[in-house]
Coordinates of all heavy atoms in Angstrom, one line a residue:
M882 N 0.8 -1.2 0.0 CA 0.0 0.0 0.0 C 0.9 1.3 0.0 O 1.8 1.4 0.8 CB -0.9 0.0 1.2 CG -1.7 1.1 1.3 SD -2.9 0.8 2.7 CE -3.8 2.2 2.6
V883 N 0.6 2.2 -0.9 CA 1.4 3.4 -1.1 C 0.8 4.4 -0.3 O -0.4 4.7 -0.3 CB 1.5 3.7 -2.6 CG1 2.2 5.0 -2.7 CG2 2.1 2.6 -3.4
Q884 N 1.7 5.1 0.6 CA 1.2 6.3 1.4 C 1.1 7.5 0.6 O 2.0 7.8 -0.2 CB 2.2 6.5 2.5 CG 2.3 5.4 3.6 CD 1.1 5.4 4.5 OE1 0.6 6.4 4.8 NE2 0.8 4.2 5.1
P885 N 0.1 8.3 0.7 CA 0.1 9.5 -0.1 C 1.1 10.5 0.5 O 1.4 10.5 1.6 CB -1.4 10.1 0.1 CG -1.8 9.4 1.4 CD -1.1 8.1 1.5
A886 N 1.6 11.3 -0.4 CA 2.7 12.3 0.0 C 2.0 13.4 0.9 O 1.0 13.9 0.6 CB 3.2 13.0 -1.3
R887 N 2.7 13.6 1.9 CA 2.3 14.6 2.9 C 2.7 16.0 2.4 O 3.7 16.2 1.8 CB 2.9 14.4 4.3 CG 2.4 13.2 5.0 CD 2.9 13.0 6.3 NE 4.3 12.6 6.2 CZ 5.2 12.6 7.2 NH1 4.9 13.1 8.4 NH2 6.4 12.3 7.1
P888 N 1.8 17.0 2.6 CA 2.2 18.4 2.2 C 3.4 18.9 3.0 O 3.5 18.6 4.2 CB 0.9 19.2 2.4 CG 0.1 18.4 3.4 CD 0.5 16.9 3.2
V889 N 4.2 19.6 2.4 CA 5.5 20.1 3.1 C 5.1 21.5 3.5 O 4.6 22.4 2.8 CB 6.6 20.1 2.1 CG1 7.8 20.8 2.8 CG2 6.9 18.8 1.6
D890 N 5.4 21.7 4.8 CA 5.2 23.1 5.4 C 6.1 24.1 4.7 O 7.3 23.8 4.6 CB 5.4 23.0 6.9 CG 4.9 24.2 7.6 OD1 4.3 25.1 7.0 OD2 5.2 24.4 8.8
A891 N 5.7 25.2 4.4 CA 6.5 26.2 3.7 C 7.7 26.7 4.4 O 8.7 26.9 4.0 CB 5.6 27.5 3.4
E892 N 7.6 26.7 5.9 CA 8.7 27.2 6.7 C 9.8 26.0 6.7 O 11.0 26.4 6.9 CB 8.3 27.5 8.1 CG 7.5 28.7 8.2 CD 7.2 29.1 9.6 OE1 7.8 28.5 10.5 OE2 6.2 30.0 9.8
Q893 N 9.5 24.8 6.5 CA 10.4 23.8 6.6 C 10.9 23.3 5.3 O 11.6 22.3 5.1 CB 9.8 22.6 7.3 CG 9.5 22.9 8.9 CD 8.9 21.7 9.5 OE1 8.7 20.7 9.0 NE2 8.6 21.9 10.8
A894 N 10.5 24.0 4.2 CA 10.9 23.6 2.9 C 12.4 23.7 2.5 O 13.0 23.0 1.9 CB 10.1 24.3 1.8
G895 N 13.0 24.8 3.1 CA 14.4 25.1 2.9 C 15.3 24.3 3.8 O 14.8 23.7 4.7
P896 N 16.6 24.4 3.5 CA 17.5 23.7 4.4 C 17.7 24.3 5.8 O 17.9 23.6 6.7 CB 18.8 23.8 3.7 CG 18.7 25.0 2.7 CD 17.2 25.1 2.4
F897 N 17.4 25.6 5.9 CA 17.5 26.3 7.2 C 16.3 27.2 7.3 O 15.9 27.9 6.3 CB 18.7 27.1 7.3 CG 20.0 26.3 7.2 CD1 20.7 26.4 6.1 CD2 20.4 25.5 8.3 CE1 21.9 25.7 6.0 CE2 21.5 24.8 8.2 CZ 22.3 24.9 7.1
P898 N 15.7 27.3 8.5 CA 14.6 28.3 8.7 C 15.3 29.7 8.5 O 16.4 29.9 8.8 CB 14.3 28.1 10.2 CG 14.7 26.8 10.5 CD 15.9 26.5 9.7
P899 N 14.5 30.7 8.0 CA 15.0 32.0 7.7 C 15.6 32.7 8.9 O 16.5 33.5 8.7 CB 13.8 32.8 7.2 CG 12.7 31.7 6.9 CD 13.1 30.5 7.7
D900 N 15.1 32.5 10.1 CA 15.6 33.1 11.3 C 17.0 32.8 11.6 O 17.7 33.4 12.4 CB 14.6 33.0 12.5 CG 14.5 31.6 12.9 OD1 14.7 30.7 12.1 OD2 14.2 31.4 14.1
L901 N 17.5 31.7 11.1 CA 18.9 31.3 11.4 C 19.9 32.1 10.6 O 21.1 32.2 11.0 CB 19.2 29.8 11.0 CG 18.6 28.8 11.9 CD1 19.0 27.3 11.4 CD2 19.1 28.9 13.3
H902 N 19.4 32.9 9.7 CA 20.3 33.8 8.9 C 20.2 35.2 9.5 O 20.6 36.2 8.8 CB 20.0 33.7 7.5 CG 20.2 32.4 6.9 ND1 21.5 31.9 6.7 CD2 19.3 31.5 6.4 CE1 21.3 30.7 6.2 NE2 20.0 30.4 6.0
D903 N 19.5 35.4 10.6 CA 19.4 36.7 11.2 C 20.7 37.3 11.5 O 21.6 36.6 11.9 CB 18.5 36.6 12.5 CG 18.2 37.9 13.1 OD1 18.5 39.0 12.6 OD2 17.5 37.9 14.1
V904 N 20.9 38.6 11.4 CA 22.1 39.3 11.6 C 22.6 39.0 13.0 O 23.8 38.9 13.2 CB 22.0 40.8 11.3 CG1 23.3 41.5 11.6 CG2 21.6 41.0 9.8
R905 N 21.7 39.0 14.0 CA 22.1 38.7 15.4 C 22.8 37.4 15.5 O 23.9 37.3 16.1 CB 20.9 38.8 16.3 CG 20.2 40.1 16.4 CD 18.9 39.9 17.2 NE 18.1 38.9 16.6 CZ 17.0 38.3 17.2 NH1 16.7 38.7 18.5 NH2 16.3 37.4 16.7
H906 N 22.3 36.4 14.9 CA 22.9 35.1 14.9 C 24.2 35.0 14.2 O 25.2 34.4 14.8 CB 22.0 34.0 14.3 CG 20.6 33.9 15.0 ND1 19.4 34.1 14.3 CD2 20.3 33.7 16.2 CE1 18.4 34.0 15.1 NE2 18.9 33.7 16.4
L907 N 24.3 35.7 13.1 CA 25.6 35.6 12.4 C 26.7 36.4 13.1 O 27.9 35.9 13.2 CB 25.4 36.3 10.9 CG 24.5 35.5 10.0 CD1 24.3 36.3 8.7 CD2 25.0 34.1 9.8
R908 N 26.3 37.5 13.8 CA 27.3 38.3 14.6 C 27.7 37.4 15.8 O 28.9 37.4 16.1 CB 26.8 39.6 15.0 CG 26.7 40.6 13.9 CD 26.2 41.9 14.3 NE 26.1 42.8 13.2 CZ 25.4 43.9 13.2 NH1 24.6 44.2 14.3 NH2 25.3 44.7 12.1
L909 N 26.8 36.8 16.4 CA 27.1 35.9 17.5 C 28.0 34.8 17.2 O 29.1 34.6 17.8 CB 25.9 35.3 18.1 CG 26.0 34.3 19.3 CD1 26.7 34.9 20.5 CD2 24.7 33.6 19.6
K910 N 27.8 34.1 16.1 CA 28.6 33.0 15.6 C 30.0 33.5 15.2 O 31.0 32.9 15.6 CB 28.0 32.3 14.4 CG 26.7 31.6 14.8 CD 26.0 31.0 13.5 CE 24.7 30.4 13.8 NZ 24.0 29.9 12.7
A911 N 30.1 34.6 14.6 CA 31.3 35.2 14.2 C 32.2 35.6 15.3 O 33.4 35.3 15.4 CB 31.1 36.4 13.3
A912 N 31.6 36.2 16.4 CA 32.3 36.6 17.6 C 32.8 35.4 18.3 O 34.0 35.4 18.8 CB 31.4 37.5 18.5
L913 N 32.0 34.4 18.5 CA 32.4 33.2 19.2 C 33.4 32.4 18.5 O 34.4 31.9 19.2 CB 31.2 32.3 19.6 CG 30.2 33.0 20.6 CD1 29.0 32.1 20.8 CD2 30.8 33.3 21.9
L914 N 33.3 32.4 17.2 CA 34.4 31.7 16.4 C 35.7 32.4 16.5 O 36.8 31.8 16.5 CB 33.9 31.5 14.9 CG 32.9 30.3 14.7 CD1 32.4 30.4 13.3 CD2 33.6 29.0 15.0
L915 N 35.6 33.7 16.5 CA 36.9 34.5 16.6 C 37.5 34.3 17.9 O 38.7 34.2 18.0 CB 36.5 36.1 16.4 CG 37.7 37.0 16.5 CD1 38.8 36.7 15.4 CD2 37.2 38.4 16.5
L916 N 36.7 34.3 19.0 CA 37.2 34.0 20.4 C 37.9 32.6 20.4 O 39.0 32.4 20.9 CB 36.1 34.1 21.4 CG 36.5 33.7 22.8 CD1 37.5 34.7 23.3 CD2 35.2 33.7 23.7
W917 N 37.2 31.6 19.9 CA 37.8 30.3 19.8 C 39.1 30.3 19.1 O 40.1 29.6 19.5 CB 36.8 29.3 19.1 CG 37.3 28.0 18.8 CD1 37.5 27.0 19.8 CD2 37.8 27.5 17.6 NE1 38.0 25.9 19.1 CE2 38.2 26.1 17.8 CE3 37.8 28.0 16.3 CZ2 38.7 25.4 16.8 CZ3 38.3 27.2 15.3 CH2 38.8 26.0 15.6
A918 N 39.2 30.9 17.9 CA 40.4 30.9 17.2 C 41.5 31.6 17.9 O 42.7 31.2 17.9 CB 40.2 31.6 15.8
L919 N 41.2 32.8 18.6 CA 42.2 33.5 19.3 C 42.8 32.7 20.4 O 44.0 32.7 20.7 CB 41.6 34.8 19.9 CG 41.4 35.9 18.8 CD1 40.7 37.1 19.5 CD2 42.6 36.3 18.1
V920 N 41.9 32.0 21.1 CA 42.4 31.2 22.3 C 43.2 30.0 21.7 O 44.2 29.7 22.3 CB 41.2 30.7 23.1 CG1 41.6 29.6 24.1 CG2 40.6 31.8 23.9
S921 N 42.7 29.3 20.7 CA 43.4 28.1 20.2 C 44.7 28.5 19.6 O 45.7 27.8 19.9 CB 42.5 27.4 19.2 OG 41.3 27.0 19.8
F922 N 44.7 29.4 18.7 CA 45.9 29.7 18.0 C 46.8 30.7 18.6 O 48.0 30.7 18.5 CB 45.6 30.2 16.6 CG 44.8 29.1 15.8 CD1 43.5 29.4 15.3 CD2 45.5 28.0 15.4 CE1 42.9 28.4 14.7 CE2 44.8 27.0 14.7 CZ 43.5 27.2 14.3
G923 N 46.2 31.6 19.5 CA 47.0 32.6 20.3 C 47.9 31.9 21.3 O 49.0 32.3 21.5
A924 N 47.3 30.9 22.0 CA 48.1 30.2 23.0 C 49.3 29.4 22.3 O 50.3 29.4 22.9 CB 47.2 29.1 23.7
T925 N 49.0 28.9 21.1 CA 50.1 28.3 20.4 C 51.2 29.2 19.9 O 52.4 29.0 20.0 CB 49.5 27.5 19.2 OG1 48.5 26.6 19.6 CG2 50.6 26.7 18.5
W926 N 50.7 30.3 19.4 CA 51.7 31.3 18.9 C 52.6 31.9 20.0 O 53.8 32.2 19.7 CB 50.9 32.5 18.2 CG 51.7 33.4 17.5 CD1 52.1 34.6 18.0 CD2 52.3 33.4 16.2 NE1 52.9 35.3 17.1 CE2 53.0 34.5 15.9 CE3 52.2 32.4 15.2 CZ2 53.7 34.8 14.8 CZ3 52.9 32.7 14.0 CH2 53.6 33.8 13.8
F927 N 52.0 32.2 21.1 CA 52.7 32.8 22.3 C 53.2 31.7 23.3 O 53.4 32.1 24.4 CB 51.9 33.8 22.9 CG 51.6 35.0 22.1 CD1 50.3 35.2 21.5 CD2 52.6 35.9 21.7 CE1 50.1 36.3 20.7 CE2 52.3 37.0 20.9 CZ 51.1 37.1 20.4
A928 N 53.3 30.5 22.9 CA 53.6 29.4 23.9 C 54.9 29.6 24.6 O 55.0 29.4 25.8 CB 53.6 28.0 23.2
R929 N 55.9 30.0 23.9 CA 57.3 30.3 24.6 C 57.2 31.4 25.5 O 57.7 31.3 26.6 CB 58.3 30.5 23.5 CG 58.7 29.3 22.7 CD 59.8 29.5 21.8 NE 60.1 28.3 21.0 CZ 60.8 28.4 19.9 NH1 61.2 29.4 19.4 NH2 61.0 27.2 19.3
D930 N 56.5 32.5 25.2 CA 56.3 33.6 26.1 C 55.5 33.2 27.4 O 55.8 33.7 28.4 CB 55.6 34.8 25.4 CG 56.5 35.3 24.2 OD1 57.7 35.2 24.3 OD2 55.9 35.8 23.3
L931 N 54.5 32.4 27.2 CA 53.7 32.0 28.3 C 54.4 31.0 29.2 O 54.0 30.9 30.4 CB 52.4 31.3 27.7 CG 51.4 32.2 27.0 CD1 50.3 31.3 26.4 CD2 50.9 33.3 27.8
Q932 N 55.4 30.3 28.8 CA 56.2 29.4 29.7 C 56.9 30.2 30.8 O 57.2 29.6 31.8 CB 57.2 28.6 28.8 CG 56.5 27.7 27.8 CD 55.6 26.6 28.5 OE1 54.5 27.0 28.8 NE2 56.1 25.4 28.6
A933 N 57.2 31.5 30.5 CA 57.9 32.3 31.5 C 57.0 32.6 32.7 O 57.5 32.8 33.8 CB 58.4 33.6 30.9
I934 N 55.7 32.6 32.6 CA 54.8 32.9 33.6 C 54.4 31.6 34.4 O 53.9 30.6 33.8 CB 53.5 33.6 33.1 CG1 53.9 34.8 32.4 CG2 52.6 33.9 34.2 CD1 52.7 35.5 31.6
V935 N 54.7 31.5 35.7 CA 54.4 30.3 36.4 C 53.2 30.6 37.4 O 53.1 31.5 38.1 CB 55.7 29.9 37.2 CG1 55.4 28.7 38.1 CG2 56.8 29.7 36.3
V936 N 52.3 29.6 37.3 CA 51.1 29.6 38.1 C 51.0 28.3 38.8 O 51.0 27.2 38.2 CB 49.8 29.9 37.2 CG1 48.6 29.8 38.1 CG2 49.9 31.1 36.5
A937 N 51.0 28.4 40.1 CA 51.0 27.2 41.1 C 52.0 26.2 40.7 O 51.8 25.0 40.8 CB 49.5 26.6 41.0
G938 N 53.2 26.6 40.3 CA 54.3 25.7 40.1 C 54.3 25.2 38.7 O 55.2 24.4 38.4
W939 N 53.4 25.6 37.8 CA 53.4 25.1 36.4 C 53.4 26.3 35.5 O 52.8 27.3 35.8 CB 52.2 24.2 36.2 CG 52.1 22.9 36.9 CD1 51.6 22.8 38.2 CD2 52.7 21.7 36.6 NE1 51.8 21.5 38.6 CE2 52.4 20.8 37.6 CE3 53.3 21.3 35.4 CZ2 52.8 19.4 37.5 CZ3 53.6 19.9 35.3 CH2 53.4 19.0 36.4
P940 N 54.1 26.1 34.4 CA 54.0 27.2 33.4 C 52.6 27.5 32.9 O 51.8 26.6 32.8 CB 54.9 26.7 32.2 CG 55.7 25.6 32.8 CD 54.8 25.0 33.9
L941 N 52.3 28.8 32.6 CA 51.0 29.2 32.1 C 50.6 28.5 30.8 O 49.5 28.1 30.6 CB 51.0 30.7 31.9 CG 49.6 31.3 31.6 CD1 48.6 30.9 32.6 CD2 49.7 32.7 31.3
G942 N 51.6 28.2 30.0 CA 51.3 27.5 28.8 C 50.7 26.1 29.0 O 49.9 25.6 28.3
Y943 N 51.2 25.5 30.1 CA 50.7 24.2 30.5 C 49.2 24.3 30.9 O 48.4 23.5 30.4 CB 51.4 23.5 31.6 CG 50.7 22.3 32.2 CD1 50.7 21.2 31.7 CD2 50.1 22.5 33.5 CE1 50.1 20.1 32.2 CE2 49.4 21.5 34.0 CZ 49.4 20.3 33.5 OH 48.7 19.3 34.0
W944 N 48.9 25.3 31.7 CA 47.5 25.5 32.1 C 46.6 25.8 31.0 O 45.5 25.2 30.9 CB 47.5 26.7 33.1 CG 48.0 26.3 34.4 CD1 49.2 26.9 35.0 CD2 47.6 25.4 35.4 NE1 49.4 26.3 36.2 CE2 48.4 25.4 36.5 CE3 46.4 24.6 35.5 CZ2 48.2 24.7 37.6 CZ3 46.2 23.8 36.6 CH2 47.1 23.8 37.7
I945 N 47.0 26.6 30.0 CA 46.2 26.9 28.9 C 45.9 25.7 28.0 O 44.8 25.4 27.6 CB 46.7 28.0 28.1 CG1 46.6 29.4 29.0 CG2 46.0 28.2 26.8 CD1 47.2 30.6 28.3
A946 N 47.0 25.0 27.8 CA 46.9 23.7 27.0 C 46.1 22.7 27.7 O 45.3 22.0 27.1 CB 48.2 23.2 26.6
A947 N 46.3 22.4 29.0 CA 45.7 21.4 29.7 C 44.2 21.7 30.1 O 43.4 20.8 29.9 CB 46.4 21.1 31.0
Q948 N 43.9 22.9 30.5 CA 42.5 23.1 31.0 C 42.0 24.4 30.4 O 40.8 24.5 30.1 CB 42.5 23.3 32.5 CG 42.7 22.1 33.3 CD 44.1 21.9 33.9 OE1 44.9 22.8 33.8 NE2 44.3 20.8 34.5
G949 N 42.7 25.4 30.1 CA 42.2 26.8 29.7 C 41.5 26.7 28.4 O 40.4 27.2 28.3
A950 N 42.0 26.0 27.4 CA 41.3 26.0 26.1 C 40.0 25.2 26.2 O 39.0 25.6 25.6 CB 42.3 25.3 25.1
V951 N 40.0 24.2 27.0 CA 38.8 23.4 27.2 C 37.7 24.2 27.9 O 36.5 24.2 27.6 CB 39.0 22.1 27.9 CG1 37.8 21.2 28.2 CG2 40.0 21.2 27.1
V952 N 38.1 24.9 29.0 CA 37.2 25.7 29.8 C 36.6 26.8 28.9 O 35.4 27.1 28.9 CB 37.9 26.3 31.0 CG1 37.0 27.4 31.7 CG2 38.3 25.2 32.0
V953 N 37.5 27.5 28.1 CA 37.0 28.5 27.2 C 36.0 27.9 26.1 O 35.0 28.6 25.8 CB 38.2 29.2 26.4 CG1 37.7 30.2 25.3 CG2 39.0 30.0 27.5
F954 N 36.3 26.7 25.6 CA 35.3 26.1 24.7 C 34.0 25.8 25.3 O 33.0 26.2 24.7 CB 36.0 24.8 24.1 CG 35.0 24.2 23.2 CD1 34.8 24.7 21.9 CD2 34.4 23.0 23.5 CE1 34.0 24.0 21.0 CE2 33.5 22.4 22.6 CZ 33.3 22.9 21.4
I955 N 34.0 25.4 26.5 CA 32.7 25.1 27.3 C 32.0 26.4 27.5 O 30.8 26.5 27.4 CB 33.0 24.3 28.6 CG1 33.5 22.9 28.2 CG2 31.8 24.3 29.4 CD1 34.0 22.2 29.4
A956 N 32.8 27.4 27.9 CA 32.2 28.7 28.1 C 31.6 29.3 26.8 O 30.5 29.9 26.8 CB 33.2 29.7 28.6
I957 N 32.2 29.1 25.7 CA 31.7 29.5 24.4 C 30.3 28.8 24.1 O 29.3 29.4 23.7 CB 32.7 29.2 23.2 CG1 33.8 30.2 23.3 CG2 32.0 29.3 21.9 CD1 35.0 29.9 22.3
V958 N 30.3 27.5 24.4 CA 29.0 26.7 24.2 C 27.9 27.2 25.1 O 26.8 27.4 24.7 CB 29.2 25.2 24.4 CG1 28.0 24.4 24.4 CG2 30.2 24.6 23.3
V959 N 28.3 27.5 26.3 CA 27.2 28.0 27.3 C 26.7 29.4 26.8 O 25.6 29.7 26.8 CB 27.9 28.1 28.7 CG1 27.0 28.8 29.7 CG2 28.0 26.6 29.2
A960 N 27.7 30.3 26.4 CA 27.3 31.6 25.9 C 26.4 31.5 24.7 O 25.4 32.3 24.6 CB 28.6 32.4 25.6
Y961 N 26.7 30.6 23.8 CA 25.9 30.4 22.6 C 24.5 30.0 23.0 O 23.5 30.6 22.5 CB 26.6 29.4 21.7 CG 25.8 29.2 20.4 CD1 25.8 30.1 19.3 CD2 25.0 28.1 20.2 CE1 25.1 30.0 18.2 CE2 24.3 27.9 19.0 CZ 24.4 28.8 18.0 OH 23.6 28.6 16.9
C962 N 24.4 29.0 23.9 CA 23.1 28.5 24.3 C 22.3 29.7 25.0 O 21.1 29.8 24.7 CB 23.2 27.3 25.2 SG 23.8 25.8 24.4
W963 N 22.9 30.4 25.8 CA 22.3 31.5 26.6 C 21.8 32.5 25.6 O 20.6 33.0 25.6 CB 23.2 32.1 27.6 CG 22.6 33.3 28.3 CD1 21.8 33.3 29.3 CD2 22.8 34.7 27.9 NE1 21.5 34.6 29.7 CE2 22.1 35.5 28.8 CE3 23.6 35.3 26.9 CZ2 22.1 36.8 28.7 CZ3 23.6 36.6 26.9 CH2 22.8 37.5 27.8
A964 N 22.6 32.9 24.6 CA 22.2 34.0 23.7 C 21.1 33.5 22.8 O 20.2 34.2 22.4 CB 23.5 34.4 22.8
M965 N 21.2 32.2 22.3 CA 20.2 31.7 21.4 C 18.8 31.6 22.2 O 17.7 32.0 21.6 CB 20.4 30.3 20.9 CG 21.6 30.3 19.9 SD 21.4 31.4 18.5 CE 20.2 30.6 17.6
N966 N 18.8 31.2 23.4 CA 17.5 31.3 24.2 C 17.0 32.7 24.4 O 15.8 32.9 24.2 CB 17.8 30.7 25.7 CG 17.8 29.2 25.6 OD1 17.3 28.6 24.8 ND2 18.5 28.6 26.6
R967 N 17.9 33.6 24.6 CA 17.5 35.0 24.7 C 16.8 35.5 23.4 O 15.9 36.2 23.3 CB 18.8 35.9 25.0 CG 18.4 37.3 25.3 CD 19.6 38.0 26.0 NE 19.5 39.4 25.7 CZ 20.4 40.1 24.9 NH1 21.4 39.5 24.4 NH2 20.2 41.4 24.6
F968 N 17.5 35.2 22.2 CA 17.0 35.6 20.9 C 15.6 35.0 20.7 O 14.7 35.6 20.2 CB 17.9 35.1 19.8 CG 19.2 35.8 19.7 CD1 20.3 35.3 19.1 CD2 19.4 37.1 20.3 CE1 21.5 35.9 19.0 CE2 20.6 37.7 20.3 CZ 21.7 37.2 19.6
E969 N 15.4 33.7 21.1 CA 14.1 33.0 20.9 C 13.1 33.7 21.8 O 11.9 33.9 21.3 CB 14.2 31.6 21.2 CG 14.9 30.8 20.2 CD 15.0 29.3 20.6 OE1 14.5 28.8 21.6 OE2 15.7 28.5 19.9
R970 N 13.4 34.1 23.0 CA 12.5 34.8 23.8 C 12.1 36.2 23.3 O 10.9 36.5 23.2 CB 13.0 35.0 25.2 CG 12.9 33.8 26.1 CD 13.1 34.1 27.6 NE 14.4 34.8 27.8 CZ 15.5 34.1 28.1 NH1 15.5 32.8 28.2 NH2 16.6 34.8 28.3
Q971 N 13.1 36.9 22.7 CA 12.8 38.2 22.1 C 11.9 38.0 20.9 O 11.0 38.8 20.6 CB 14.1 38.8 21.7 CG 14.9 39.4 22.8 CD 16.3 39.9 22.4 OE1 16.7 39.7 21.2 NE2 17.0 40.6 23.3
D972 N 12.2 37.0 20.1 CA 11.4 36.8 18.9 C 9.9 36.4 19.3 O 9.0 36.8 18.6 CB 11.9 35.7 18.0 CG 13.3 36.1 17.3 OD1 13.5 37.3 17.3 OD2 14.0 35.3 16.9
A973 N 9.8 35.6 20.3 CA 8.4 35.2 20.8 C 7.7 36.4 21.3 O 6.4 36.5 21.1 CB 8.5 34.1 21.8
E974 N 8.3 37.3 22.0 CA 7.7 38.4 22.5 C 7.3 39.4 21.4 O 6.2 40.0 21.4 CB 8.5 39.2 23.5 CG 8.7 38.4 24.8 CD 9.8 39.1 25.7 OE1 10.4 40.1 25.3 OE2 10.1 38.6 26.8
G975 N 8.1 39.5 20.4 CA 7.9 40.4 19.2 C 6.7 39.9 18.4 O 6.0 40.6 17.7
H976 N 6.6 38.6 18.3 CA 5.6 38.0 17.3 C 4.4 37.5 18.1 O 3.4 37.1 17.5 CB 6.2 36.8 16.6 CG 7.3 37.2 15.7 ND1 8.6 37.1 16.0 CD2 7.2 37.7 14.4 CE1 9.3 37.5 15.0 NE2 8.5 37.9 14.0
G977 N 4.3 37.6 19.5 CA 3.2 37.1 20.2 C 2.2 38.1 20.5 O 1.1 38.3 20.3

């Protein structure tokens, strides 16, 4: 038995809903990706300079490589989730 084709909702027809291309979302993504790149590549670029700074008996380069980059990445994910929830609340208030 062949199932009849279901109608496709107009909002779900494209690969992404239109609100994902909102300027607020693009700026947020760009800023968080820039922060991620600065932390990831900045720590590598200045690794020798960071070795001179000692924190709790270990060079700062070790702290950034071992924990700092991971903590910053988790903070980026949390910031993204918080901002997206905020954007959704703003959109719901504006359209409600």
Side-chain angles (χ1 to χ4, degrees):
M882 179 172 183
V883 177
Q884 297 278 336
R887 290 184 285 166
V889 177
D890 191 8
E892 288 185 16
Q893 296 178 359
F897 299 107
D900 60 338
L901 287 180
H902 299 292
D903 188 0
V904 175
R905 299 175 299 169
H906 299 122
L907 295 176
R908 286 184 182 156
L909 173 67
K910 291 174 189 177
L913 293 176
L914 283 172
L915 179 65
L916 176 62
W917 171 76
L919 288 174
V920 169
S921 297
F922 299 115
T925 305
W926 186 264
F927 295 108
R929 289 186 183 160
D930 298 330
L931 294 174
Q932 296 300 78
I934 303 169
V935 177
V936 177
W939 294 88
L941 184 60
Y943 166 78
W944 288 111
I945 290 175
Q948 287 105 2
V951 175
V952 170
V953 170
F954 179 73
I955 291 170
I957 287 172
V958 170
V959 169
Y961 181 77
C962 291
W963 176 82
M965 292 304 290
N966 282 334
R967 186 170 156 243
F968 291 159
E969 288 179 6
R970 279 194 306 270
Q971 288 174 349
D972 290 344
E974 290 172 2
H976 294 94

